[in-house]
Amino acid sequence: MFALVDCNNFYASCERAFQPKFNNTPIAILSNNDGCFISRSDEAKKLGLPMAAPAFKYRKFCEDNGIKVFSSNYPLYGDMSTRVMNILGTFTPDIEVYSVDEAFLKFDGFENYDFDTYGKEIQRTVQKCTGIPISIGMAPTKALAKVANKIAKKFRSKTGGVFVIQSDEGRIKALQWTKIESVWGVGHGNLKRLQSKNVKTAFDFIQLSDDWVKKQMAIIGLRLKKDLEGIATLDLDDDTRDKKAIATTRSFEYTYDDIENIKERVSTFATSCAEKLRTQNSSCNHIVVFLRSNRHKKNEPQDRGSVIITLPYATDSSLIISNYAVEAVTSIYKPGIKYKRAGVIVSGLVPTNERQLDLFLAENPKHHKIMKVMDNVNDKYGYKIKIANQDLKRTWKMRQEHLSPKYTTNINDIITVR
């Protein structure tokens, strides 16, 4: 048996967990730099606030409708996500963290359990320990658990936020209700192919022949079909696997037309990528650097430049990655352009202890010790050590005019109980 656990309106729920006075108030969360809305409470949705709506266009709408607006508080959301996932891990050892607010659970050896009761116990425990409401869909396969979760959320007044598909009759009824465009794993390309076959629901999809599905949607599509038929073919993914690429991309707090400021920002982004590489014990072979002007300002000159660098050897050194990234900026930068966004992506990742060595080119062996000291100091005391082409007094800062306190990650913001 599988379960998909989904936190309801997660970012909004995190804010409410520490400010319960907003429990019945419509609230909305903004993206980086307070750009657009990325999370809305049910009340805000009912008022008609669109997802991804630009904040500046809907400022008056929010004021007129009493919508409480928050800047995204990622340290808080990340910590609350970890707390939720740790609690879920006490109910079964088999867990796949699917996203910041979703997780798949697998229940092997739970044959004699009443899953509706067990699901409600999970729900109560998470709510009690974190204040975060969750919805749970349970079924014999992952794809069906996704379907069950949608039903649990859609019909919350009847399901209580927990829905279990256990019988074949229940499975068929759920698939007949599920529109094909809502099926997990059906992308835009496959959707067109399915609609050409007059497939409107998930139930219509499983009526297709295995040969057609395999030919048109490859083996992944066939596995999805079997999963929806109740035959488990999709298991939990190993969440310890390394990423294939790591990116740090940011919008600047201001627009910059001088190359020195841009170099400093890109150096900081490159250093962030290198730190992430070391965290997962990886090294990179390629670096991608890009610059973007502000596309919303149509009256200003526009530019979108990028460059790919193949390194002479795989590395996780902040010094080397930063130097190459800064060189790349020099080749991309165009005088007179006001740049608003930049990014660094490292790819071609290999395990650091398995990287290919070269007889004639090699990383300075001192870098490994330097990086280890930097990481230890920065982890313990905050970013006290930086490389020379970074501004020692400057950190990347978003526009966050509506930021709530970091209740669980900053000692100065912890709630005081009187």
Side-chain angles (χ1 to χ4, degrees), residues 195-208:
Q195 288 175 337
S196 71
K197 295 283 287 184
N198 201 32
V199 172
K200 296 180 180 178
T201 67
F203 183 74
D204 295 336
F205 172 55
I206 65 172
Q207 304 310 305
L208 299 173

Side-chain angles (χ1 to χ4, degrees), residues 28-45:
I29 313 299
L30 294 166
S31 64
N32 286 347
N33 288 311
D34 292 349
C36 61
F37 293 101
I38 56 172
S39 180
R40 303 153 297 155
S41 67
D42 290 337
E43 297 84 355
K45 293 175 185 176

Side-chain angles (χ1 to χ4, degrees), residues 11-269:
Y11 292 171
S13 294
C14 287
E15 299 292 352
R16 282 176 165 170
F18 295 94
Q19 301 186 75
K21 63 183 178 182
F22 295 123
N23 278 349
N24 298 311
T25 300
I27 66 176
I29 313 299
L30 294 166
S31 64
N32 286 347
N33 288 311
D34 292 349
C36 61
F37 293 101
I38 56 172
S39 180
R40 303 153 297 155
S41 67
D42 290 337
E43 297 84 355
K45 293 175 185 176
K46 288 178 182 178
L47 288 170
L49 180 65
M51 186 66 165
F56 73 93
K57 286 187 178 180
Y58 281 83
R59 185 175 290 110
K60 189 173 188 305
F61 177 88
C62 291
E63 292 173 355
D64 292 345
N65 288 279
I67 300 174
K68 174 64 177 176
V69 176
F70 290 93
S71 299
S72 48
N73 191 339
Y74 293 121
L76 175 65
Y77 307 152
D79 183 65
M80 293 300 289
S81 173
T82 300
R83 291 167 188 258
V84 170
M85 301 309 165
N86 287 341
I87 292 169
L88 296 178
T90 65
F91 288 91
T92 174
D94 299 319
I95 178 171
E96 173 195 338
V97 179
Y98 187 63
S99 68
V100 69
D101 62 345
E102 287 183 288
F104 281 105
L105 308 181
K106 186 178 181 181
F107 301 100
D108 274 341
F110 288 70
E111 288 78 9
N112 297 322
Y113 275 63
D114 180 331
F115 283 106
D116 185 70
T117 301
Y118 200 53
K120 286 182 167 59
E121 177 61 24
I122 296 172
Q123 187 184 52
R124 280 194 297 270
T125 304
V126 172
Q127 176 81 49
K128 179 180 179 181
C129 295
T130 66
I132 303 297
I134 63 174
S135 296
I136 304 176
M138 292 180 159
T141 70
K142 287 177 74 175
L144 286 172
K146 267 278 192 180
V147 171
N149 183 274
K150 289 180 183 294
I151 294 172
K153 295 179 77 171
K154 180 70 174 179
F155 304 103
R156 198 172 301 159
S157 59
K158 291 184 179 180
T159 64
V162 177
F163 185 73
V164 183
I165 297 175
Q166 282 184 299
S167 67
D168 204 47
E169 181 184 357
R171 176 182 66 85
I172 291 171
K173 188 176 180 180
L175 295 180
Q176 289 173 334
W177 172 82
T178 305
K179 294 180 180 179
I180 188 60
E181 56 266 30
S182 299
V183 174
W184 178 49
V186 175
H188 182 69
N190 286 330
L191 179 60
K192 284 188 173 181
R193 295 187 190 97
L194 292 170
Q195 288 175 337
S196 71
K197 295 283 287 184
N198 201 32
V199 172
K200 296 180 180 178
T201 67
F203 183 74
D204 295 336
F205 172 55
I206 65 172
Q207 304 310 305
L208 299 173
S209 71
D210 288 356
D211 289 342
W212 187 92
V213 173
K214 187 176 180 180
K215 183 178 180 180
Q216 299 295 326
M217 301 174 65
I219 192 66
I220 298 298
L222 183 57
R223 287 175 181 168
L224 174 60
K225 179 176 181 286
K226 294 299 180 185
D227 243 48
L228 293 174
E229 290 173 347
I231 304 168
T233 60
L234 304 172
D235 207 345
L236 296 186
D237 287 338
D238 178 11
D239 67 351
T240 62
R241 68 187 187 277
D242 292 339
K243 300 176 181 177
K244 294 181 180 179
I246 292 174
T248 300
T249 65
R250 299 283 189 270
S251 292
F252 302 142
E253 190 177 3
Y254 309 102
T255 54
Y256 295 125
D257 57 5
D258 62 299
I259 193 169
E260 294 307 318
N261 257 314
I262 296 172
K263 282 182 178 179
E264 192 279 330
R265 292 291 78 194
V266 167
S267 173
T268 298
F269 301 164

Side-chain angles (χ1 to χ4, degrees), residues 278-308:
R278 295 194 293 275
T279 298
Q280 69 169 44
N281 192 34
S282 293
S283 294
C284 69
N285 282 289
H286 310 286
I287 303 173
V288 179
V289 179
F290 70 81
L291 285 178
R292 301 283 187 268
S293 57
N294 191 341
R295 61 186 176 87
H296 297 293
K297 295 190 176 182
K298 306 295 185 183
N299 59 328
E300 295 182 356
Q302 299 292 314
D303 183 53
R304 294 168 62 86
S306 64
V307 66
I308 302 174

